[in-house]
């Protein structure tokens, strides 16, 4: 992936054709940006994936229904309030927002995908939102996705926006984390737009693959959100592209954004990458890797720069259903250093690992000695700040 | 359960007949107690359950083999080193300990159940252990279980020992936590001894039931240990007892010890009890309850005394496989206060919940509106001290 300059002017010139945004503060919680609309000038081919939560947010079923035909024209997103566990009133509210935005922008409400993120269990401040939508069309600017990335933030410490060229087309992706993050079959909020021309069916296939190897491999805290949504619009204004190239760009950008989410996990001081190979299946490799990256004892050890690799052994061992796991066949590495291979490696100088743990990106590799499958997942350490942020987030 | 006095003299007089202990420091890590032997004067009926970890400690397979015939005479336990991930040498070491203890005590090695708890991945300091076993028999004292409870501690802040009478017999249970705790089909270390006469088959049945509703319902940090062991010896010296009474006493004592482990979880400031009822199955109730009690976002909210009940909704929702869960049917309570019933309860004064969260024991109740099954689990909050303790535990 060719990653382009990050200066605002660069971004602006390089934005995909025919995408307009509006970003503003509606005062939902405070004075930071909390509302954005991302619109294509024409109806675009689209794909989306959503949280599997049984307690999902009010916008989720509406988004699902609207993207079902592979067409969308607009994302409308608010932060600071998730509109979850809000009963019938919550559903009426999101429907009203979609209708008001459609009316203002003169587009079909069925082509809008709505999202909300923030605190659970509070009704949206509808008066403020209604006022914010008035004259929306006049407030649209061309491009501006990097500012949309700001408006969707909750506890993120920086906006996440990536841009790259694929042939004549451009692909932009934005995402937000940073707690309640263990996406399953979908993700936190992330939106992609491109002016490449890609058939809806193809888009759905390659998008699902990209999400499964990126966002679905991230865990900050094992807490699957009620509001996870990832969506893409391809409006075709830049014409056809090489699908293989586009797929590769989409995969790389998804992984990049997923890693950013892990790196910026609540309270995180380190990005942790866990690769499990020599596995008998991808599912087994993913399960073991997630068990390691999610273990609070592994996470705190990494935060404390403690070469306590025994906790990695524990986290492998607790995958109890994987009956073919055998400690005799297993190898464990911190970075490039082999520390266990059927038994502890006596010659390892633990101070070398201690030093390695000073890095801001930590790699753990485990070989199961069972087969040829592998999986890589991303997470972060568990710090005092995770407790601080979440001991006082709301109410 | 009649719980008896906690003064050492009381304990001593009330100990079950024919149990002897030795408790000492072998210098495995520091100068605190780290080794204990608990022996019955006669071969006792016995039952035990063990961790399901695929990376289990070297003592586990030996304990499993030795208890298989329903007979044991002795527990030998060290703390400060778990003898896990230590390869062939670790297995040879535990076998040597069992043989040395058997020789010194003039009992059969097949009647010994060995356990180790502490750091993973280091070989036991065998020279110190061999020296510690010399003349063991002369060092045995009658009773003394409450001191054994001290010797098995790692990061526990206090020893856990319960005693009660059942007819003419006495039942004593000891246990240790307090991190790497999410037992599955077995538990952290816990040992029971009684002089009641109970057939081995009956003992196994009632013991398994007791463990399943107590230790297996506890989670401090989702990290299933490599060394979980819970075992009981019944030497029969006090004669027959009413089995129903004994079962009840064993159940209550198991739950009491399990709750102590949660209350004394690493860094815990609060015991959290989660009951899920109106469930379509026990498995579903347990799954939802565990999801709540294990959620780092719920745990940090309770630590922060934050009435953020939306995180409970999130934790229910992430049980994605439970497809019959429907937010419309669900009710959520903090203590006795109903805060969600298909929608947020507008009339709830959040300051009442805030005040409730000042308590040291927090109850969360969730009704699923699906059936008649229920489950109760125990856990604790997630505090700065969990991060502190585990960011610097070893190496």
């Amino acid at each position: 992936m060719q990653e382009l300059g990050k200066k605002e002017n660069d971004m602006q010139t390089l934005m995909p054709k025919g995408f307009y945004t509006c970003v503003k503060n509606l005062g939902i919680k405070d004075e930071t940006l909390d509302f954005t609309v991302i619109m294509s000038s024409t109806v675009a081919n689209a794909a989306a994936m959503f949280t599997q939560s049984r307690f999902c947010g009010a916008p989720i079923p509406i988004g699902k229904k609207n993207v079902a035909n592979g067409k969308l024209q607009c994302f409308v997103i608010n932060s600071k309030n998730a509109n979850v566990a809000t009963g019938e009133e919550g559903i009426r509210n999101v429907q009203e927002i979609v209708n008001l935005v459609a009316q203002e922008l003169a587009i079909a409400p069925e082509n809008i995908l709505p999202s909300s993120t923030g605190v659970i269990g509070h009704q949206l401040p509808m008066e403020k939102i209604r006022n914010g939508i008035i004259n929306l069309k006049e407030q649209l600017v061309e491009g501006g996705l990097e500012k949309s990335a700001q408006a969707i933030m909750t506890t993120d410490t920086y906006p996440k926006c990536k841009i790259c060229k694929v042939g004549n087309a451009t692909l932009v992706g934005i995402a937000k984390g940073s707690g309640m993050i263990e996406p399953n079959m979908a993700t936190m909020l992330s939106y992609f737009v491109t002016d490449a021309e890609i058939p809806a069916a193809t888009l759905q296939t390659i998008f699902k693959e990209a999400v499964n190897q990126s966002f679905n491999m991230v865990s900050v805290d094992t807490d699957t959100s009620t509001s996870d949504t990832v969506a893409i619009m391809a409006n075709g204004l830049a014409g056809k592209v090489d699908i293989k190239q586009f797929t590769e760009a989409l995969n790389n950008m998804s992984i990049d954004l997923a890693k950013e989410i892990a790196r910026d996990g609540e309270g995180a001081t380190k990005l942790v990458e866990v690769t499990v190979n020599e596995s008998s299946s991808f599912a087994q490799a993913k399960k073991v890797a997630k068990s390691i990256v999610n273990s609070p004892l592994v996470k705190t050890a990494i935060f404390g720069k403690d070469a306590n690799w025994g906790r990695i052994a524990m986290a492998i061992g607790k995958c109890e259903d994987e009956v073919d796991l055998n400690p005799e066949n297993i190898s464990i590495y911190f970075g490039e250093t082999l520390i266990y291979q059927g038994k502890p490696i006596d010659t390892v100088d633990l101070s070398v690992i201690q030093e390695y743990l000073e890095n801001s990106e930590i790699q753990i590799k485990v070989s199961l000695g069972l087969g040829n499958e592998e999986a890589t997942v991303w997470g972060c350490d568990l710090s005092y700040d995770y407790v601080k942020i979440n001991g006082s987030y709301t109410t």
Side-chain angles (χ1 to χ4, degrees), chain A residues 117-372:
Chain A
T117 178
V119 67
I120 294 173
H122 296 250
Q123 299 296 348
L124 287 169
M126 286 304 291
E127 213 37 50
K128 291 176 179 174
I129 293 175
R130 283 184 203 108
N131 287 334
I133 294 172
I134 294 169
N135 294 328
L136 193 58
K137 191 159 190 177
E138 296 163 18
Q139 298 163 42
L140 291 176
V141 298
E142 206 170 348
L145 270 290
E146 75 289 353
K147 216 173 156 196
S148 293
Q150 285 176 43
I152 63 175
M153 287 163 64
T154 50
T155 51
D156 305 70
T157 65
Y158 59 88
K160 293 150 190 83
C161 181
K162 302 277 174 182
I163 184 165
C164 76
K165 298 290 289 180
V166 184
N168 290 325
T170 304
L171 172 66
V172 177
I174 65 172
K176 58 86 59 179
S178 64
M180 208 176 277
I181 301 289
E182 182 172 12
N184 190 7
M185 306 308 289
T187 180
M188 64 299 306
L189 300 188
S190 181
Y191 305 90
F192 294 78
V193 296
T194 179
D195 46 11
E197 185 184 331
I198 302 170
T202 308
L203 194 60
Q204 277 160 38
T205 307
I206 64 174
F207 192 57
K208 190 173 172 186
E209 268 171 37
V211 169
N212 279 340
Q213 65 187 268
S214 56
F215 300 108
N216 280 351
M217 300 305 260
V218 167
S219 179
V220 167
D221 57 6
T222 76
D223 276 345
T224 306
S225 166
T226 52
S227 307
D228 296 332
T229 298
V230 53
I232 185 167
M233 288 196 280
N235 68 12
L237 294 185
K240 287 195 175 22
V241 291
D242 181 289
I243 292 292
K244 196 163 159 252
Q245 260 182 37
F246 185 86
T247 302
E248 198 184 321
L250 183 63
N251 285 346
N252 289 340
M253 190 178 283
S254 299
I255 288 174
D256 273 6
L257 284 169
K259 286 170 75 170
E260 290 298 327
I261 285 168
R263 193 192 310 275
D264 194 27
E266 285 178 338
T269 70
K270 292 172 193 300
L271 172 69
V272 181
E273 180 176 283
V274 180
T275 298
V276 173
N277 64 16
E278 299 181 8
S279 182
S280 53
S281 70
F282 171 77
Q284 179 185 60
K286 182 177 174 183
K287 186 173 180 183
V288 173
K290 277 275 188 103
S291 180
I292 296 168
V293 91
N294 278 332
S295 160
L297 291 172
V298 171
K299 288 159 73 89
T300 47
I302 290 172
F303 171 63
K305 300 165 191 169
D306 179 1
N308 194 341
W309 62 269
R311 294 181 180 173
I312 299 171
M314 176 281 300
I316 299 167
K318 74 174 177 164
C319 300
E320 302 150 349
D321 299 338
E322 301 300 321
V323 292
D324 52 350
L325 293 180
N326 183 344
E328 285 176 28
N329 301 331
I330 291 173
S331 304
I332 301 173
Y333 302 75
F334 262 121
E336 296 300 315
T337 312
L338 178 65
I339 42 182
Y340 175 90
Q341 189 172 37
K343 62 182 180 182
I345 305 291
D346 295 332
T347 51
V348 168
D349 180 1
L350 280 183
S351 69
V352 172
I353 298 174
Q354 221 75 21
E355 199 175 316
Y356 176 70
L357 291 173
E358 297 287 333
N359 292 314
S360 63
E361 296 196 11
I362 303 299
Q363 291 183 312
I364 293 170
K365 198 176 86 185
V366 172
S367 299
L368 299 181
L370 296 172
N372 297 313

Side-chain angles (χ1 to χ4, degrees), chain A residues 7-71:
Chain A
K7 276 188 268 175
E8 194 156 331
N9 290 344
D10 281 10
M11 283 273 190
Q12 233 18 41
T13 19
L14 295 164
M15 283 285 164
K17 295 187 187 75
F19 285 98
Y20 297 81
T21 61
C22 171
V23 177
K24 60 208 293 191
N25 167 258
L26 304 183
I28 294 177
K29 181 184 178 188
D30 53 27
E31 295 180 348
T32 59
L33 297 174
D34 54 19
F35 183 79
T36 184
V37 162
I38 301 169
M39 190 187 91
S40 168
S41 56
T42 59
V43 175
N45 289 334
M49 293 172 77
F50 301 91
T51 182
Q52 303 272 309
S53 173
R54 309 302 309 167
F55 226 117
C56 71
I60 302 288
I62 295 172
K64 261 187 201 168
K65 194 179 61 158
N66 289 356
V67 76
N69 67 346
K71 301 282 178 195

